[in-house]
Amino acid sequence: TLLPRTVIFCYVLLQMNMQDRTSPNQEFYSLSGVASRLGLSRMTIYRYVVSKKLPAYKFGRHYRVKKDDLEAFISRYKV
């Protein structure tokens, strides 16, 4: 039988939560937080995410960027 989406979604969130416990230094930023840190607009950061230049995770309607991914993005596009 097929499991309802909500059960699968809860299982995925639980697995992600367990992974977070193994690496407590893992931080996530909202697109607004990334924008303020870089001095850019939220829409510019959104475009980077959509074009896959900046890796992000989508939780419902909200994107989150891992601290490590943001630091890699900054060093990759540093002039």
Side-chain angles (χ1 to χ4, degrees):
T1 62
L2 295 176
L3 294 174
R5 281 191 215 178
T6 53
V7 173
I8 295 172
F9 182 70
C10 290
Y11 176 76
V12 170
L13 286 178
L14 180 63
Q15 291 299 318
M16 291 176 68
N17 190 19
M18 295 302 283
Q19 290 173 356
D20 287 345
R21 288 182 185 169
T22 60
S23 57
N25 295 334
Q26 195 172 24
E27 290 182 45
F28 286 90
Y29 297 111
S30 66
L31 296 188
S32 298
V34 173
S36 66
R37 182 170 178 193
L38 298 180
L40 300 170
S41 73
R42 185 187 171 284
M43 192 57 162
T44 300
I45 301 303
Y46 174 77
R47 287 185 188 121
Y48 285 144
V49 169
V50 170
S51 66
K52 307 263 191 232
K53 291 182 181 179
L54 177 61
Y57 299 90
K58 190 170 184 179
F59 297 102
R61 296 176 56 197
H62 304 282
Y63 285 100
R64 294 291 183 255
V65 178
K66 279 188 0 183
K67 181 180 179 182
D68 297 338
D69 291 337
L70 178 58
E71 290 172 358
F73 175 80
I74 291 170
S75 65
R76 185 173 49 240
Y77 288 102
K78 190 174 183 180
V79 178

